[in-house]
Amino acid sequence: MAPANILVGSHVWVEDQEVAWIDGEVMKINGEEAEIQTTDGKKVVASLSKIYPKDVEAPDGGVDDMTKLSYLHEPGVLQNLSTRYTLNEIYTYTGNILIAVNPFQRLPHLYDAQMMAHYKAAPLGKLSPHVFAIADVAYRAMINLEKSNSILVSGESGAGKTETTKMLMSYLAYLGGRAGTEGRTVEQQVLESNPVLEAFGNAKTVRNNNSSRFGKFVEIQFDKRGRISGAAIRTYLLERSRVCQVSDPERNYHCFYLLCAAPQEEIEKYKLGHPKCFHYLNQSNCYELVGVSDAQDYLATRRAMDVVGISKKEQDAIFRVVAAILHLGNVEFTKGKEIDSSALKDDKSKFHLQTASELLMCDLGALEDALCKRVIITPEEIIKRTLDPLSASVSRDGLAKTIYSRLFDWLVDKINNSIGQDPNSTSLIGVLDIYGFESFKTNSFEQFCINYTNEKLQQHFNQHVFKMEQEEYTKEQIDWSYIEFVDNQDVLDLIEKKPGGVITLLDEACMFPKSTHETFSQKLYQTFTKHKRFIKPKLSRTDFTIAHYAGEVQYQSDQFLDKNKDYVVPEHQDLLSASKCTFVAGLFPPIPEETTKSSKFSSIGSRFKLQLQQLMETLNSTEPHYIRCVKPNNVLKPAIFEHVNVMQQLSCGGVLEAIRISCAGYPTRRTFFEFINRFKILAPEVVQGSYEEKAACMKILEKMGLKGYQIGITKVFLRAGQMAELDARRAEKLSNSAKIIQRKIRTHITRQKYLALLRATIILQTICRGKLACKLYESMRREAGAITIQKNLRRHLSWKSYKRIQFSAVIIQTGSRSMAARNQFRYKNKTKAATVIQACWRCYKAFSYYKKLKRAALVSQCRWRGRLGRKELRKLKMAARETGALKEAKDKLKKKVEELTWRLQFEKRQRADLEESKEKEILKLQQSLQEMQMKVDEANALVVREREIARTAIEEADATAIKETPVPFEDSEKIERLSAEVDDLKALLDSERQRAGEWERKCMEAHESSEEKRKKLEETEKRVLQLQESLNRVEDRLGNLESENKLLRQQALKIAQTNKLLSLRSRSITQRTDSTRHVDLRTQSLNSRDSFEVEGAAQRALNEKQQENQDLLLRCIAQQLGFSKGRPIAACLIYKCLKQWRSFEVEHTSFLDRIVHTIGHAIEAQDNNGILTYWLSNTSYLLLLLQRTLKVTAANGIQHRLSASATLFGRMTQSFRGIPRGVDLSFIDSEMSGKVDNSLSWIEAKFPALLFKQQLNAYVEKIYGIIHDNLKKEISPLLGLCIQAPRTSKASSVTLGTAASQQDLFVHWKGLVQSFSNYLTVLKTSYVPSFLIHKLYTQVFSFVNVQLFNSLLLRRECCSFTNAEFVKAGLAELENWCHDTTKEYVGAAWDELKHIRQAIGFLVIHQKPQKTLDEVSHEICPVLSLQQLYRISTMYWDDKYGTHSLSPEVVSSMKALLTDICTSSSFLLDDDSSIPFSADVLAKWTNQISVFDIELPPLIRENSGFGFLLPISD
């Protein structure tokens, strides 16, 4: 491509022997030559046809796709790769081709799982170039088009092909991986086989310490769902000659050195030693690699063999074969006794031969004959011919190469069997890791085959590139029919054509025994004398040169014939197939006779040609993708870029060939916007006002007079050299404009100097006049000053005297007033103290008098009642002595007395139990209850004494009656008198019966009074307990969580065994009514069966009623009940009903599970944010209620089920139900008011309640997460549009200051803000707690920060100045929304955008080159890490003013710090999707809650079973 319009002052590229290309400025043009001042200070003269224009406006960090280069030529490509490599940007696109430059250092942040997630399903070119992007495109094409794909990884030794292949397979496993054998994925199995293949197929070369000496094609097979289902490894052209021949300073295959470094017992077992002792290894002086331990690698290879399924027995056999090859190499021959015969040279050779036979388990004599003799079979006889020493050595080497080749093929088959292939797979992605083009000082048959492979792949590559060009032209609808295709078919015909190709001639030469390399070379000279790609060297008779696509390569044909022969010597085949070792015999299976007769000759060239054809067929059946690996230097160290070496690799890799194909068409392509933005200066009238981009581009090109360009649908296509011509016109335009600006600036500067001189003259005159005026003013000022000083001095002296007198007066007044105040205060204190003492003394006297008076009253009452009782007793005794005992009356009286006695004893036992419980519990009451207890004790004692007196009187009367002796009737007078006495006695008995009934009635009244007092005392006890709970609430709260966890663990272990028992007991306890507690004991003992039946029927009716109420409640909450005074009605209903029905306190209930199921069914519609926010409000409110009221104690286990009535304090509270008069409990009410609502008092929760609480907590987290994910899904598409400014047809003239432009540019940001507002409205409508809203927006803003910031780091087009201004304006919109929204809901969410805000702030600041590293890292971007700062500063480009990023010194300092730190963390941010709160934190940040005064739904309000929910009237 010849440059055009090279003018004086143009920046160009010129060839240089040291750095390939160097830039400079044209100083002078003499005809066809130009004098150039290079950047290194030299002056060179070059032809205009050999220099290329330089794009001075290219971004500082290069471009990620080299098709975007203004000048697509070799120096531009090289400079772009060098610039990006300096910034650790190792990947660059050339269309769909990825160029990967080996960094020679670990960059783990580029290959972690987070980076894989970013490139998943991302379009090619949207993110920065990466190997994951190529793998993703191949995978998506395979899934969408149902066609197999292939990825061709090529490059010279050391360019990183193997590592790139590993990254590709890792990413493909990330997309479609599944568990394989023994828990290992297919990708893992393939990677685990690498150590084995590297040990037996890799070796040290001049350019690489671990060079693959074979080609590898990995087929990763996928099923219909896109999951990896199998894999296979195909190998090509193992370098067999390396087994016997090694050049210094290279090494043989790694496995030989690994075996020599094995443990001592292994070395003794195989009779090995140092590598220099073996002929196959000591041909080179390199035995060890720097930084590599062969002993450790041996163990690692052994472990890898275990992993891929090679048994211990097979491993021993493998290394036995390897050791046998080493021993074979030490067998030397000398001339035998006969002519042209050979024999073993010495005892050392015999020892190695014997060791080899032992290791191969074959006959020693047969092995020696196979090396020294040949068997010729003729129709008449079998002839044994001896070999001379040289032929015997060749036979030995042939045997060693054959054994090693068969061993390598066996390993590959074993690995494929271990991995497993999917026969039903219809799609695959093949990863080809193959050697690159090679050209050394000495090039043999291996280099010929390698370069033949690369020629074949280059033809495939050229066809693909040309196809891509055609697709691009067709897409843009431009004419491309006259573009010529660069093809290398003539080289391939030279190599492979039949007949007459190099491979065909080589096979013919190998078939003739007398052919030599000289005759083969002469045959080539004669055949290809006139071929333009074949060159005969002038100084050699056996070499030949082929002009490949990458350059000319001279081959030495000395060993072509030997290396091409591939058939196995029959003696070797028979010997090893008869080995006693099954492994060795398996490497050489018997060859069928038909095969032996039909294929007498086989060549490596023909076999390789066949394999290559099969490979090309596979590649042609797939959609190809290309990765070109480049080695930046030969010292294998980071941060070194050797331009000459890289240019050679680009040529060998076909990149320059692809550039030539592009240059044959339209190498320069610009979108309409970019073209107008760059060249609108050439025709400014075209872009005035409203215009169409395509028409504007055509007008600019027509005005410049260019021909041959094409206008597509979205791009302008320019021929080679036209971009340079446009740039030259543009530079001329800019130069003229600069001259006009300079002229104006110089005029302005001169005028400014004149005006400054004029101002200086005026100022000088002003100063002189001012000096004269100052002197006059000074004299006047001194005179006035003297007068002022005198006046002020006199005033000061007078003022000082006055202040002294005033100060003394103030001190005297202060002292006197303070003395009077102290006396008055002392008198008040004494008066107050006397008043207090008097009040206390009077109180004490009154209280003492009251106690004495009360005690005296009780004593008087007791004595008076005793006196009355004794009087009645004496009367009864007197009446009893006078009357006789009548049996019938006595019996009836006895029965009555016994019944009364039984009742008194029963009452006595009750009173005794009651007194015992009172005495124990009253000690625990507060001092305020002591007076009440004393009154109760005195009343009970009085009742007991009265009962005792009555009982004693009855007993005495009965005893007297019994002791009466019958008196004989003396006469009728006595009988009549006695009859009268009996009548009197009957009357007395009747009166006694009346008195007994009166005493019984008084006893019942006393019992009723006692019951009333017990009720009042129980209420008092409840209030006391509430007070204690309020005081111990904090301590109980701390112990709740530990006890709850302990209870849940115990309950989970025992609930299966005790579920039925707990259910029965819980029902009997919770459903028992107070009416059954006070049934008469005597009636209960007589009618127990009837009472149980009645109680069971009542229990069943109650259960059925409760079930109906539960069903009704579930039907109500399944509907949206709405809110009442900002509180969710459903949550309040559920809580109040559960508390009323004591569902929290039972051991087993299914109603809580039904509530949970109802909630779960309601939130199944995850896309309805209204329903989700409604239930988030209800579940969170209900969770808060449970969090504040449920508690669990350590004793609340499975075995502890004693109710409150079974305790001593419970029995006492059941006996006393009232509050005594005079006891003031107002202090309890004052303590509880305003702190704990009675409805929210602590509830001792059982296992179902605790489980229900945990399920509610899980639902709160689930609903919160769904809303969070819905909001993220809604704003994710907008974020991708918010990070990059939209380009319109008038983008060049649009500014951010006008309102119309803001409406157009910020539509996506406004959509983002609108989404936030809509969600906030829905959340506030559902009265979701502000704490949850705050947490939601904090997390979402963090997600916005992560997405925008990561997109900024991964997309270079987002790091421009114009785009940064756009994002900054969008962030301002978001900040205004945060400001308008109250802090209660948004809070500090704006602070979560700190990364993107600081990054955008850095991009829009001016004078970046003047900023230091300390200013940027500590003042401008303190939050960003050094990696993030480095990436932003290197990706920045100014598309508006053309300014530069940070200075090269600052960038170099950051890179050095990154190298020193050796950080492996990713520069991308992670999105935290965890739940950012817990139930405790939610309860802490929520205001006071209540369940009272809510509006009930009609179904609940009209049902009598929910009467407890209705407000209670006064």
Side-chain angles (χ1 to χ4, degrees), residues 1011-1269:
E1011 286 294 329
E1012 183 181 358
K1013 292 178 181 179
R1014 184 170 64 244
K1015 291 179 181 179
K1016 293 182 179 180
L1017 186 59
E1018 185 177 5
E1019 294 176 0
T1020 305
E1021 174 61 21
K1022 286 183 179 180
R1023 303 193 71 176
V1024 171
L1025 286 176
Q1026 291 176 359
L1027 176 63
Q1028 291 174 348
E1029 289 175 359
S1030 66
L1031 294 176
N1032 299 329
R1033 177 166 302 207
V1034 176
E1035 297 177 0
D1036 292 342
R1037 192 68 173 170
L1038 294 176
N1040 264 355
L1041 291 177
E1042 297 179 1
S1043 302
E1044 182 177 342
N1045 292 333
K1046 183 177 180 182
L1047 174 61
L1048 291 175
R1049 288 194 297 268
Q1050 294 176 354
Q1051 190 76 4
L1053 293 175
K1054 299 180 180 180
I1055 192 169
Q1057 301 175 357
T1058 61
N1059 191 16
K1060 185 175 181 180
L1061 179 60
L1062 292 177
S1063 177
L1064 294 175
R1065 292 194 177 184
S1066 63
R1067 290 176 184 174
S1068 64
I1069 292 174
T1070 56
Q1071 305 300 333
R1072 185 177 296 128
T1073 59
D1074 293 336
S1075 62
T1076 62
R1077 296 180 182 178
H1078 307 292
V1079 180
D1080 184 79
L1081 295 177
R1082 185 175 180 181
T1083 306
Q1084 184 177 3
S1085 63
L1086 296 175
N1087 304 309
S1088 59
R1089 180 178 299 177
D1090 295 338
S1091 64
F1092 287 154
E1093 291 178 357
V1094 173
E1095 184 179 359
Q1099 181 72 30
R1100 287 192 297 273
L1102 186 61
N1103 289 341
E1104 292 176 358
K1105 182 63 176 177
Q1106 187 172 2
Q1107 184 68 29
E1108 293 177 1
N1109 294 339
Q1110 290 177 358
D1111 294 340
L1112 178 60
L1113 177 61
L1114 289 177
R1115 288 198 302 271
C1116 285
I1117 65 175
Q1119 306 170 3
Q1120 289 200 18
L1121 302 180
F1123 303 88
S1124 176
K1125 298 182 179 180
R1127 294 168 297 170
I1129 297 176
C1132 296
L1133 281 180
I1134 293 172
Y1135 176 78
K1136 295 180 72 174
C1137 291
L1138 292 178
K1139 183 178 179 183
Q1140 177 67 23
W1141 297 334
R1142 301 196 176 187
S1143 299
F1144 298 130
E1145 304 174 31
V1146 298
E1147 297 285 354
H1148 177 76
T1149 179
S1150 61
F1151 182 54
L1152 298 179
D1153 295 334
R1154 295 175 66 190
I1155 294 175
V1156 171
H1157 177 73
T1158 302
I1159 297 175
H1161 180 72
I1163 64 172
E1164 288 180 354
Q1166 298 187 0
D1167 55 344
N1168 192 330
N1169 292 321
I1171 295 177
L1172 292 174
T1173 53
Y1174 169 78
W1175 281 108
L1176 178 61
S1177 178
N1178 277 277
T1179 53
S1180 60
Y1181 200 85
L1182 185 55
L1183 178 63
L1184 287 174
L1185 291 170
L1186 300 184
Q1187 186 74 12
R1188 293 192 177 183
T1189 57
L1190 295 189
K1191 74 169 183 177
V1192 59
T1193 60
N1196 190 10
I1198 301 302
Q1199 305 298 330
H1200 184 74
R1201 298 185 183 90
L1202 294 177
S1203 63
S1205 61
T1207 63
L1208 185 62
F1209 191 78
R1211 291 198 303 270
M1212 188 273 292
T1213 55
Q1214 287 182 0
S1215 300
F1216 296 92
R1217 298 288 181 173
I1219 302 176
R1221 296 178 181 179
V1223 178
D1224 184 13
L1225 296 179
S1226 61
F1227 72 95
I1228 299 178
D1229 294 333
S1230 64
E1231 286 290 328
M1232 296 181 62
S1233 61
K1235 294 186 179 180
V1236 179
D1237 195 340
N1238 289 336
S1239 64
L1240 299 182
S1241 58
W1242 287 108
I1243 302 173
E1244 188 172 339
K1246 302 297 182 180
F1247 172 74
L1250 300 178
L1251 182 60
F1252 178 63
K1253 175 184 169 185
Q1254 289 188 350
Q1255 289 173 331
L1256 274 181
N1257 189 18
Y1259 269 116
V1260 171
E1261 295 179 356
K1262 178 181 179 180
I1263 299 172
Y1264 173 88
I1266 294 174
I1267 297 174
H1268 176 250
D1269 293 341

Side-chain angles (χ1 to χ4, degrees), residues 786-883:
I787 297 173
T788 302
I789 290 172
Q790 293 174 4
K791 178 181 64 178
N792 289 336
L793 178 61
R794 295 189 184 103
R795 183 181 62 184
H796 174 71
L797 294 175
S798 300
W799 179 80
K800 193 173 182 181
S801 175
Y802 166 75
K803 292 299 289 184
R804 190 183 305 113
I805 297 171
Q806 184 189 29
F807 179 72
S808 301
V810 170
I811 290 175
I812 294 171
Q813 291 174 357
T814 303
S816 61
R817 289 171 183 166
S818 62
M819 185 181 298
R822 288 192 197 95
N823 292 335
Q824 186 179 2
F825 177 71
R826 195 178 298 111
Y827 172 75
K828 286 183 179 181
N829 282 348
K830 289 180 179 180
T831 304
K832 184 178 180 181
T835 304
V836 171
I837 292 171
Q838 291 172 1
C840 292
W841 172 249
R842 290 168 183 162
C843 179
Y844 173 74
K845 285 181 67 178
F847 184 68
S848 299
Y849 173 74
Y850 167 73
K851 288 199 295 183
K852 289 178 181 180
L853 184 61
K854 188 174 76 169
R855 191 179 299 110
L858 292 175
V859 171
S860 300
Q861 290 174 359
C862 291
R863 289 180 179 177
W864 174 254
R865 290 170 184 163
R867 183 178 177 183
L868 293 177
R870 284 191 292 272
K871 280 185 179 181
E872 294 293 332
L873 182 60
R874 282 195 298 270
K875 290 179 180 180
L876 290 174
K877 285 182 178 181
M878 290 173 64
R881 290 191 189 99
E882 295 176 356
T883 347

Side-chain angles (χ1 to χ4, degrees), residues 175 208 245 275-276 293 373 405 527 568 652 689 761 837 895 913 950 999 1057 1071 1129 1164 1259 1470:
L175 293 177
N208 186 10
Q245 299 174 355
K276 65 181 178 181
S293 173
K373 297 178 182 179
S405 176
T527 307
V568 179
C652 295
T761 304
I837 292 171
K895 289 180 181 179
D913 293 339
W999 282 111
Q1057 301 175 357
Q1071 305 300 333
I1129 297 176
E1164 288 180 354
Y1259 269 116
D1470 292 327

Side-chain angles (χ1 to χ4, degrees), residues 289-306:
L289 299 178
V290 179
V292 177
S293 173
D294 290 331
Q296 294 181 1
D297 287 350
Y298 173 78
L299 300 177
T301 304
R302 281 276 198 175
R303 288 193 296 269
M305 288 181 170
D306 293 335

Side-chain angles (χ1 to χ4, degrees), residues 264 299 341 395 436 442 490 630 801 1046 1268 1316 1390 1428:
Q264 188 62 34
L299 300 177
S341 65
S395 177
T442 302
D490 52 351
V630 176
S801 175
K1046 183 177 180 182
H1268 176 250
F1316 290 154
W1390 173 250
Q1428 294 165 347

Side-chain angles (χ1 to χ4, degrees), residues 1274-1285:
E1274 183 174 331
I1275 66 174
S1276 292
L1278 295 174
L1279 293 178
L1281 301 172
C1282 289
I1283 190 58
Q1284 188 172 5

